[in-house]
Amino acid sequence: MSKKEWPLWEIFIRGQHGLNHRHVGSLHAPDAEMAINNARDVYTRRKEGVSIWVVPSSAITASSPSEKGPLFDPAEDKVYRHPTFYDIPDEVGHM
Amino acid sequence: MYAQMIKSESSNDDPQALAEFQARIDRGERIEPKEWMPEGYRKTLIRQIGQHAHSEIVGQLPEGNWITRAPTLERKQILLAKVQDEAGHGLYLYSACETLGVTRDELFEKLHSGAMKYSSIFNYPTLTWADMGAIGWLVDGAAIMNQVPLQRTSYGPYARAMVRICKEESFHQRQGYSIMMKMAQGTPAQKEMAQDALNRFWYPSLMMFGPSDAESVHSTQNMAWKIKINTNDELRQRFVNETVPQAEYLGLTVPDEHLRWNDDKQGYDFSEPDWDEFFEVLKGNGPCNEERLGARRKAWDDGQWFREGLSAYADKQATRRTAAE
Amino acid sequence: MALDGRDPVKIDDALRPAMFDWLCRLGDNALILGHRTSEWCGHGPALEEDIALANTALDLIGHCQMWLGLAAEVEGQGRTADQLAYLRDAMAFRNVKLVELPNGDIGQTIMREFLFDAFHFELLTELSTSPNTRVAEIAAKALKEVAYQLDRASDLVVRLGDGTEESHARMQAALDHLWPYTGEMFTADAVDTAMTEAGIAPDLSDLQTRWTATVKDILDEATLTLPERRFDVHTGGKQGRHTEHLGYLLAEMQFLQRAYPGAEW
């Protein structure tokens, strides 16, 4: 039985109009279309209005990879993903 | 920690190159994929990041147990979102590991065969809803102790994964503590569950940091490489210092009769966990080792036809496209 | 005034019992399917799919909160969405049987999601322009998520149907198994008719026409065969006559609320 691994894709996301696409990470998918779907689920948690590029990792020729790490806000309506959603009394201290 | 007892691999590299590499790390530079690195550094990182990734996905299981039994719709959403994050964190870490020349499927195979480990903590059972509180509060609390400094680790992809993980994880500990607060301030039965969860998870949480490694050669090498930032004892002490007042606020008792504030060291004195138990759990003799690994293997084996089906379709589509051109 | 500061829902008192029942159908479908989908968390066939399934479950539980919240308000007995979810017994649940069936393999889970989403999408599309603004608001919010779910499920059905021999066989088996449960979605009873006549809900037979077209298109592309069997063999869930499976699901889901009555979590 064949055990072919799904290829690795590099994911680039434009969070707002007017900004560049930014590298946010990678994932596995059988083809480009599914890589886009997976990227929506993994890296945007379905946030709307974003544009996604996917590139096979094997197609990237690198001089030296970028320094700065990616950040991406979780979907805005998932308030429970934010630490401030939980009311921890001041006496407890930083958490 | 999520990566416990990581042995450093020795290197047989050119001493000159090693010295230059060490100088880069000492200057605070980040090492990036495909740049030269000692073979020992690469192998040690694969072991450490891989173990960390495995811990994330095995770590889905004890909490995943309670998603279908969460007591309110909101708690269900929160827990589901948290366990989903763990899958995401596993994914980011596997990706970081893949930049070191190993594939994710190879890493899975090593997990399933027992050749690679995951954190001892996930071999303990989750018996009541209060365990969801204890895990968020203590287990995530302990993980955060380790992960925050690792944002400055020397390997770029690992450090970036840590930044992302720390950002997403900031709600995990707080949701756990908020469960504990509800239970500790709730009915007598709820408070009893909360105390029982603390009793069961306290020592396994202390074990997460691993045995004392101040004297360990592996630890010294890993710290020089900045893939380990603090000693196990430092992190454990910090964890106890932060957690004990939080337990007091809840009105719960930390299950350690020797726990005392020590003014001289400005920290608590506390009892060591049972390290024999720790080594037994690592060897596979914990309460849930078989269930946890069994569940991962089953998910992987049951999913094989799905992964292959999608690969086959992608291949067919590629062929159809070529034929159409 | 509703608790959240929105306008109170405007309906005839005579319509309240039917509307409550109808809103429970919407909420319970989302709750039970969301619950079933959440069972995959940590057990998915690939990490990416595990994460996607959790997103679907999160969406559905979110929809359930909105629909059951509105149902409780329409009922006017001071109950909450949580009380409806956790303190009703099986005969008071109003979901279709399709969504309560055990997950089966991942193929069956995806096929079920597709068959339900194709209905859910058409229903929410209509409801998003309902003259009842509270209904329209919830539907519009849910529709965005369900449109994505339908795209994703359709895509997977096509890919797995036209994948390997094994994936094809499994998807066909899933379809054959689920098909006799799909008709219930379109079988109108007095509650549906009352809501249609009140102008709040669409005619289910119109939805069926569009659902059938979507399903045929996708199954055709997936190289799967539409079963010749009747599609409305298993009905009754909407009236509270469920399969044996729902009782077990609720026993698990409601355990804490039942074992510790009145406790806060």
Side-chain angles (χ1 to χ4, degrees):
Chain A
M1 183 150 289
S2 77
K3 284 205 172 179
K4 202 180 76 168
E5 184 162 0
W6 289 352
L8 191 63
W9 301 79
E10 298 303 320
I11 311 302
F12 300 81
I13 289 178
R14 177 167 62 204
Q16 290 173 38
H17 289 296
L19 297 183
N20 288 319
H21 283 75
R22 287 205 302 179
H23 183 239
V24 294
S26 37
L27 51 73
H28 288 269
D31 64 19
E33 289 76 18
M34 276 206 73
I36 287 182
N37 276 349
N38 288 346
R40 285 188 65 180
D41 276 304
V42 173
Y43 286 104
T44 78
R45 300 287 198 275
R46 304 267 182 84
K47 188 173 172 171
E48 284 175 63
V50 300
S51 160
I52 300 173
W53 289 348
V54 300
V55 182
S57 304
S58 58
I60 290 188
T61 308
S63 59
S64 164
S66 66
E67 181 65 25
K68 283 283 179 227
L71 293 175
F72 208 77
D73 292 327
E76 279 154 4
D77 63 338
K78 304 282 194 288
V79 288
Y80 44 81
R81 288 192 188 279
H82 295 274
T84 49
F85 180 73
Y86 303 92
D87 196 12
I88 305 292
D90 293 341
E91 301 98 287
V92 177
H94 172 76
M95 186 176 287
Chain B
M1 200 32 54
Y2 279 15
Q4 289 163 326
M5 317 240 335
I6 300 299
K7 288 186 182 160
S8 60
E9 296 272 349
S10 56
S11 281
N12 294 315
D13 299 289
D14 167 39
Q16 175 71 23
L18 278 178
E20 279 167 23
F21 180 78
Q22 189 60 50
R24 286 191 62 195
I25 289 181
D26 293 343
R27 285 196 300 272
E29 285 179 29
R30 288 282 164 79
I31 311 303
E32 294 296 342
K34 295 179 184 169
E35 292 179 345
W36 186 85
M37 62 185 80
E39 196 50 19
Y41 177 85
R42 193 181 71 84
K43 284 187 177 160
T44 308
L45 269 176
I46 289 176
R47 188 180 291 162
Q48 177 170 335
I49 303 173
Q51 196 183 111
H52 195 157
H54 296 328
S55 297
E56 294 283 353
I57 63 164
V58 177
Q60 288 185 272
L61 300 170
E63 289 175 284
N65 266 338
W66 281 89
I67 292 171
T68 53
R69 288 178 289 175
T72 68
L73 294 170
E74 187 175 88
R75 288 284 177 207
K76 196 186 201 67
Q77 286 178 308
I78 292 168
L79 185 61
L80 184 51
K82 176 181 190 272
V83 181
Q84 180 198 39
D85 276 351
E86 283 154 14
H89 299 170
L91 192 153
Y92 308 156
L93 287 162
Y94 284 122
S95 300
C97 212
E98 285 177 89
T99 62
L100 292 159
V102 60
T103 71
R104 192 166 88 186
D105 284 6
E106 285 165 3
L107 292 167
F108 282 149
E109 277 159 22
K110 286 187 174 161
L111 170 67
H112 298 154
S113 72
M116 286 183 85
K117 303 287 185 202
Y118 55 89
S119 177
S120 55
I121 191 73
F122 302 118
N123 291 312
Y124 289 87
T126 49
L127 303 177
T128 73
W129 174 252
D131 292 9
M132 299 304 98
I135 288 183
W137 171 37
L138 300 174
V139 175
D140 288 271
I144 290 165
M145 287 287 152
N146 186 49
Q147 288 174 174
V148 166
L150 278 176
Q151 294 177 100
R152 294 178 283 113
T153 188
S154 61
Y155 188 56
Y158 191 24
R160 288 191 288 275
M162 277 300 138
V163 168
R164 196 180 176 92
I165 288 170
C166 286
K167 183 177 157 69
E168 291 183 357
E169 221 160 59
S170 52
F171 87 82
H172 291 186
Q173 192 190 12
R174 293 173 72 104
Q175 68 85 32
Y177 196 75
S178 96
I179 291 175
M180 290 308 268
M181 284 202 307
K182 278 277 185 198
M183 308 272 299
Q185 294 159 8
T187 65
Q190 285 178 303
K191 187 163 182 186
E192 195 184 326
M193 272 191 265
Q195 181 63 55
D196 177 61
L198 173 57
N199 293 349
R200 283 181 291 109
F201 277 95
W202 177 255
Y203 287 107
S205 300
L206 296 186
M207 290 178 200
M208 287 176 69
F209 299 95
S212 180
D213 61 354
E215 311 293 318
S216 149
V217 264
H218 297 299
S219 180
T220 309
Q221 174 63 78
N222 291 346
M223 287 176 88
W225 278 337
K226 286 192 192 162
I227 57 184
K228 182 178 176 70
I229 312 290
N230 305 92
T231 68
N232 295 348
D233 289 326
E234 278 168 8
L235 291 172
R236 188 169 16 247
Q237 182 71 54
R238 204 179 288 173
F239 173 76
V240 172
N241 291 352
E242 281 199 13
T243 309
V244 170
Q246 292 165 354
E248 283 167 0
Y249 181 84
L250 293 171
L252 300 179
T253 309
V254 172
D256 179 358
E257 56 183 22
H258 302 295
L259 187 76
R260 300 255 183 307
W261 177 258
N262 179 335
D263 235 7
D264 293 339
K265 72 173 184 187
Q266 284 295 297
Y268 287 91
D269 292 331
F270 57 92
S271 302
E272 288 280 309
D274 177 353
W275 292 112
D276 290 339
E277 176 183 318
F278 172 77
F279 287 111
E280 281 303 311
V281 173
L282 282 197
K283 266 190 263 174
N285 296 326
C288 299
N289 295 59
E290 272 106 359
E291 280 99 327
R292 300 294 184 244
L293 211 47
R296 284 313 316 165
R297 287 192 190 121
K298 183 174 189 310
W300 184 245
D301 293 344
D302 288 354
Q304 189 175 331
W305 74 267
F306 172 89
R307 297 188 301 273
E308 286 174 356
L310 295 180
S311 289
Y313 180 85
D315 290 347
K316 282 188 207 176
Q317 283 296 90
T319 312
R320 284 170 197 153
R321 258 195 297 264
T322 317
E325 273 163 14
Chain C
M1 181 66 95
L3 286 177
D4 56 6
R6 278 183 239 251
D7 293 339
V9 61
K10 294 187 189 80
I11 52 154
D12 272 342
D13 278 346
L15 195 63
R16 277 182 196 272
M19 185 161 180
F20 172 71
D21 224 61
W22 178 78
L23 287 166
C24 284
R25 291 176 182 184
L26 288 161
D28 291 344
N29 280 338
L31 173 59
I32 302 300
L33 186 58
H35 183 96
R36 283 293 187 214
T37 309
S38 79
E39 291 174 11
W40 277 102
C41 189
H43 306 276
L47 265 181
E48 288 80 4
E49 188 62 25
D50 203 298
I51 292 167
L53 287 164
N55 275 335
T56 299
L58 282 169
D59 289 345
L60 288 166
I61 295 164
H63 305 166
C64 141
Q65 281 176 312
M66 296 188 286
W67 291 123
L68 291 185
L70 185 57
E73 199 182 318
V74 165
E75 187 194 33
Q77 304 288 321
R79 291 203 278 184
T80 63
D82 270 338
Q83 285 169 341
L84 289 175
Y86 287 91
L87 299 176
R88 280 178 302 157
D89 201 349
M91 70 277 266
F93 269 76
R94 292 291 178 260
N95 57 283
V96 294
K97 286 179 171 175
L98 177 69
V99 297
E100 74 201 36
L101 296 176
N103 285 331
D105 66 10
I106 186 69
Q108 192 175 312
T109 298
I110 287 164
M111 181 60 78
R112 187 238 308 266
E113 199 195 320
F114 164 66
L115 294 168
F116 181 77
D117 286 347
F119 155 77
H120 206 191
F121 175 80
E122 298 298 345
L123 176 63
L124 293 174
T125 302
E126 291 296 324
L127 292 181
S128 65
T129 58
S130 171
N132 186 300
T133 52
R134 298 289 301 282
V135 169
E137 248 174 58
I138 297 175
K141 186 167 187 324
L143 180 60
K144 289 181 195 166
E145 293 169 344
V146 169
Y148 178 69
Q149 288 167 11
L150 175 60
D151 274 356
R152 199 171 195 290
S154 310
D155 186 52
L156 285 174
V157 166
V158 168
R159 287 165 181 270
L160 292 168
D162 190 18
T164 59
E165 257 179 57
E166 182 180 3
S167 72
H168 176 86
R170 283 177 181 264
M171 295 311 280
Q172 185 66 52
L175 177 62
D176 294 347
H177 173 63
L178 297 169
W179 187 249
Y181 291 89
T182 54
E184 186 182 2
M185 297 186 286
F186 308 101
T187 311
D189 64 1
V191 169
D192 292 310
T193 310
M195 295 306 292
T196 306
E197 282 171 0
I200 295 175
D203 191 328
L204 288 178
S205 57
D206 294 343
L207 299 189
Q208 188 185 335
T209 311
R210 276 175 280 157
W211 178 84
T212 308
T214 306
V215 167
K216 276 188 172 152
D217 276 357
I218 296 295
L219 294 182
D220 194 44
E221 204 185 332
T223 72
L224 295 171
T225 312
L226 211 60
E228 285 179 15
R229 209 175 158 190
R230 277 176 54 186
F231 84 150
D232 57 353
V233 178
H234 301 293
T235 59
K238 281 160 50 163
Q239 293 82 32
R241 295 282 179 267
H242 290 279
T243 66
E244 290 178 347
H245 307 293
L246 185 65
Y248 289 101
L249 184 154
L250 295 181
E252 187 172 341
M253 184 174 90
Q254 299 178 337
F255 149 65
L256 281 168
Q257 290 286 355
R258 300 292 194 182
Y260 303 94
E264 284 190 44
W265 304 93

